[in-house]
Amino acid sequence: MRATILVATAFLALAPAAHAGGPGMLIGAAEDNVKSSQLAVAQAQMDLLAAAGFNADRITQEWAPGSSALSPADRRVLQNVATAATSDGVTVICVVMSHGSATTPLTANNRADFAAYAASIARAVPSFRIFVVGNEPNLNRFWLPQFNADGSDAAAPAYESLLARTYDALKRVSPHIEVLGGALGFRGADVPSGRPTHSPTAFIRDLGQAWRDSGRTNPIMDGFDMHPYEDNSGVDPIAGTHPNTTTISVADYDKLVTALGDAFGNYAMPIWYDEFGVESQIPAKWASHYTGTEPASAKSVAETTQATYYREAIQLAFCQPNVRALMLFHAVDEPQLGAWQSGLYYANSGDAKTSLAPARLAIQESRRGVVTHCDGLALPVTPRIRQTGHRLTLTCALDCDYVARLYRGTELLAGVQGRATGAAPKLLSLLVPTTKAHYRLSVSGVNPVNPAPGEPSWIRLRPG
């Protein structure tokens, strides 16, 4: 596996770089198991996510034709999710979607109801501030019709109307809500015959054209949501590029940015990966927790490989400047083998796979700024010092190589250097003398993997 992830930068010269990806990127799960009418159940499931290192969860909430407001029962469920998420410091991303193509909101009345329904969620659960409109509208499973009788795109213009209407409704609840559009499947055929689907590349183009044709000058989204799966679970994410097709996976970031820039004139549009999964093989010991048969096309992998591929996906996203989040689909396996066994926990057990610990380490290293080196990424580090009597404790938000020097006036008394783990306090071996005098500490730190130049800070100390 390559130790360094290369970032395509030529196209980013067209717009300022977005300050996303990197340590500030959310890494979470796409997991509905946290939805429960019982707060204790919701909290237990959310605790599993937090224990795996996730700091975000993407949930889905289905709209049905005729509904314009959240039901009391669903309100209780979502409020339980919010309470559990707040307890564990987890950010919730809420997808508002129809169940499938039989309930696609195509009429003006249905679009109005859908938008009102989304707004009712935002009012009922004020802590939910990130919403995704729809789910995979480029696929016939969730949106029909995909094509008009003349073969032109029917789905993208209709989805644009829904997205614009819902964007406005959510922004009326709070201008601080982030509205994400797209949620596109990673591939499609772009032909009306057979299974009617659009590739994400074509859908983005047509969505941008529909926005321009509408005459609307306001945005229709604050960021773009993408489901960048690989062709199957056996594909290495770093190697899984598609330079000659319209498919978009995690390694096809340059293609996605170019498509968004060409369609919307914004080459720095925030990107959210809210579904990426790698299915693992189920050991015989756990077979009783599952039913059915896994399709051969899934090409599930060993748990060690699953962990490696999740690390690679995190490394790729970490180095992609516009990316705000990566959500693994799921945290917990689905028990039907025909569905997804892509979690870090076995189904119906709460027991961790062997992939959990290395995946959690990759998540932690991402937040500490050391999961991989990215060309052009420079992470500044400012060490913080706490004095307790004659003892000094150093803390860096990211991993840092530090140098600390203790002075009395201009006289150097002692110095130390070493490495501190991000957010973990490090007790220095320097001791502040008890003699009354003017003591100062010079301290500097650099990230060991993605360093940024920095000047030493000077801190006045008390006698110990």
Side-chain angles (χ1 to χ4, degrees), residues 195-215:
R195 182 190 176 194
T197 60
H198 282 89
S199 70
T201 306
F203 194 94
I204 291 168
R205 178 199 64 211
D206 294 348
L207 182 63
Q209 186 63 52
W211 175 57
R212 291 189 296 274
D213 290 346
S214 74

Side-chain angles (χ1 to χ4, degrees), residues 169-252:
L170 286 167
K171 291 294 185 178
R172 283 194 292 271
V173 176
S174 171
H176 302 297
I177 288 175
E178 290 189 75
V179 181
L180 309 181
L184 299 186
F186 70 105
R187 64 185 172 192
D190 294 323
V191 291
S193 58
R195 182 190 176 194
T197 60
H198 282 89
S199 70
T201 306
F203 194 94
I204 291 168
R205 178 199 64 211
D206 294 348
L207 182 63
Q209 186 63 52
W211 175 57
R212 291 189 296 274
D213 290 346
S214 74
R216 180 183 172 97
T217 57
N218 289 333
I220 54 174
M221 56 186 166
D222 300 312
F224 192 81
D225 190 285
M226 187 68 209
H227 298 171
Y229 290 96
E230 294 299 338
D231 294 323
N232 58 68
S233 291
V235 177
D236 181 321
I238 288 179
T241 57
H242 302 85
N244 301 316
T245 70
T246 53
T247 295
I248 295 178
S249 295
V250 181
D252 296 307

Side-chain angles (χ1 to χ4, degrees), residues 82-270:
T83 298
T86 299
S87 175
D88 283 334
V90 171
T91 297
V92 176
I93 300 163
C94 183
V95 179
V96 185
M97 56 181 284
S98 57
H99 179 72
S101 58
T103 55
T104 302
L106 296 175
T107 67
N109 285 340
N110 278 344
R111 286 195 292 268
D113 284 347
F114 184 102
Y117 184 82
S120 75
I121 299 173
R123 284 192 295 269
V125 194
S127 64
F128 286 10
R129 281 299 176 262
I130 306 169
F131 286 84
V132 182
V133 178
N135 182 67
E136 299 187 345
N138 62 317
L139 304 182
N140 65 312
R141 164 68 178 84
F142 292 100
W143 196 284
L144 281 176
Q146 285 287 313
F147 294 90
N148 295 309
D150 63 0
S152 60
D153 191 337
Y159 176 71
E160 188 276 339
S161 296
L162 178 70
L163 181 55
R165 187 72 180 257
T166 309
Y167 180 93
D168 292 344
L170 286 167
K171 291 294 185 178
R172 283 194 292 271
V173 176
S174 171
H176 302 297
I177 288 175
E178 290 189 75
V179 181
L180 309 181
L184 299 186
F186 70 105
R187 64 185 172 192
D190 294 323
V191 291
S193 58
R195 182 190 176 194
T197 60
H198 282 89
S199 70
T201 306
F203 194 94
I204 291 168
R205 178 199 64 211
D206 294 348
L207 182 63
Q209 186 63 52
W211 175 57
R212 291 189 296 274
D213 290 346
S214 74
R216 180 183 172 97
T217 57
N218 289 333
I220 54 174
M221 56 186 166
D222 300 312
F224 192 81
D225 190 285
M226 187 68 209
H227 298 171
Y229 290 96
E230 294 299 338
D231 294 323
N232 58 68
S233 291
V235 177
D236 181 321
I238 288 179
T241 57
H242 302 85
N244 301 316
T245 70
T246 53
T247 295
I248 295 178
S249 295
V250 181
D252 296 307
Y253 170 78
D254 55 346
K255 184 192 300 185
L256 177 57
V257 171
T258 300
L260 291 170
D262 290 349
F264 296 99
N266 183 2
Y267 291 86
M269 182 180 289

Side-chain angles (χ1 to χ4, degrees), residues 291-303:
T291 60
T293 303
E294 180 180 277
S297 59
K299 297 188 178 180
S300 59
V301 297
E303 291 176 15

Side-chain angles (χ1 to χ4, degrees), residues 224-455:
F224 192 81
D225 190 285
M226 187 68 209
H227 298 171
Y229 290 96
E230 294 299 338
D231 294 323
N232 58 68
S233 291
V235 177
D236 181 321
I238 288 179
T241 57
H242 302 85
N244 301 316
T245 70
T246 53
T247 295
I248 295 178
S249 295
V250 181
D252 296 307
Y253 170 78
D254 55 346
K255 184 192 300 185
L256 177 57
V257 171
T258 300
L260 291 170
D262 290 349
F264 296 99
N266 183 2
Y267 291 86
M269 182 180 289
I271 293 168
W272 300 67
Y273 295 144
D274 89 354
E275 281 190 24
F276 176 81
V278 176
E279 295 197 69
S280 69
Q281 299 158 358
I282 305 304
K285 175 183 177 181
W286 297 98
S288 62
H289 291 259
Y290 298 84
T291 60
T293 303
E294 180 180 277
S297 59
K299 297 188 178 180
S300 59
V301 297
E303 291 176 15
T304 53
T305 303
Q306 182 193 42
T308 297
Y309 286 180
Y310 279 157
R311 168 175 279 273
E312 289 186 8
I314 291 169
Q315 289 175 320
L316 285 164
F318 180 88
C319 287
Q320 296 173 349
N322 297 354
V323 172
R324 298 285 180 86
L326 171 66
M327 302 291 160
L328 303 186
F329 186 92
H330 295 286
V332 180
D333 279 358
E334 295 182 64
Q336 300 83 21
L337 289 174
W340 280 83
Q341 287 69 57
S342 50
L344 298 175
Y345 296 95
Y346 297 111
N348 302 321
S349 70
D351 290 302
K353 297 180 182 179
T354 57
S355 52
L356 186 146
R360 179 174 54 207
L361 178 61
I363 294 169
Q364 293 169 343
E365 289 178 344
S366 174
R367 297 195 186 117
R368 290 161 36 199
V370 295
V371 71
T372 192
H373 171 75
C374 310
D375 288 354
L377 179 63
L379 300 176
V381 178
T382 303
R384 304 297 181 187
I385 296 294
R386 182 170 61 88
Q387 181 181 358
T388 307
H390 65 285
R391 295 284 188 181
L392 297 174
T393 303
L394 174 145
T395 306
C396 295
L398 308 176
D399 281 20
C400 70
D401 290 333
Y402 64 86
V403 177
R405 295 186 175 93
L406 179 64
Y407 290 83
R408 180 170 52 213
T410 59
E411 178 189 3
L412 176 61
L413 299 181
V416 294
Q417 61 185 19
R419 178 167 294 182
T421 300
K426 177 83 171 185
L427 183 64
L428 302 181
S429 59
L430 294 176
L431 300 178
V432 183
T434 58
T435 307
K436 288 187 177 181
H438 294 292
Y439 296 103
R440 298 183 302 159
L441 186 74
S442 167
V443 60
S444 62
V446 296
N447 184 266
V449 179
N450 295 288
E455 295 295 324

